[in-house]
Amino acid sequence: MAKRKKYLILLVIFSLIILTASLFLSEKNNHFIVFFSGAGMKIPVTEIANDFTHQTGIGVDVHFEGSAVLRQYIETYGDVDVFMSGDKKNMDISVEKGFVKEHAFIAWHIPSILIPPENRDKIRGLNDLAKKGIRLVMSNPAQASLGKLVNDMLLRHPRGREILNNVVVYGSDSQDDLRLFRDKGADAVIEWNVMAYVPEGKGLLVVPFEKEYEIRDPLMVALLRTSKNPELSKKFYDYFKTEGIKVFKKHGYNIEAGR
């Protein structure tokens, strides 16, 4: 356990170093915005950033990584304009520490079980993931917001330990989870439900968690006090929460704030 914890700490440090180097090499100017986003929203976020640049001529330097890693970078170095966390917890911490000027709801992140069609009779819910011989893939709890949310939920589930024992490999983000699921020939992957609609998840079926274990985590976008281009950053932030939210809906996200 100690060796695993040490490895995870080194992994986070390495991610921060890579992130710092990539930002240092970016050519920042008066028409450039630095945007940090949780890795699970890569497809809609990339589309939104490209649309914004096409319409305004303002460049958006997007960095995707686990939300906790991104938050730690913001706290340590600042120099980031807009932040979108993959979970509410990391956004709440940023708000509490005074890094957020304003923030807005974008969509719901809902974890589910994704399975190939041939497993529809074998896996109908969380209890089936505890069966002997089931091979499961999920996100790393120490690296990805999804993994932490799911791990906490499974620790409340009566067969949670058995389910966790069936995890054959942990991924670093949503794309990695889906790749490992295919590569390992696993029976199921626990992922955001919208991952069934991306190219990597094509053909997978969505099996919702049982009602008492359902997780609905709000995705929030934040305008940061660390911004060095506050006027342009506000323009992108306003665009994201009005036009960008439509892109999330197009990609299968539930954008109804009251539900």
Side-chain angles (χ1 to χ4, degrees), residues 130-144:
K131 293 177 180 175
K132 187 176 181 180
I134 289 292
R135 293 169 55 81
L136 176 65
V137 172
M138 64 176 277
S139 290
N140 191 324
Q143 191 172 5

Side-chain angles (χ1 to χ4, degrees), residues 4 9 24 33 45 57 67 85 87-88 92 97 104 153 157 160 162 164 167 171 181 189 193 198 201 221 231 233 238:
R4 179 173 180 270
I9 292 172
F24 178 77
I33 295 167
V45 163
S67 297
S85 175
D87 66 339
K88 185 175 184 294
D92 286 346
K97 292 189 174 183
M153 178 275 292
H157 192 281
E162 296 170 78
L164 289 171
V167 176
F181 165 74
V189 55
N193 60 347
V198 304
V221 64
E231 186 175 335
S233 300
D238 289 341

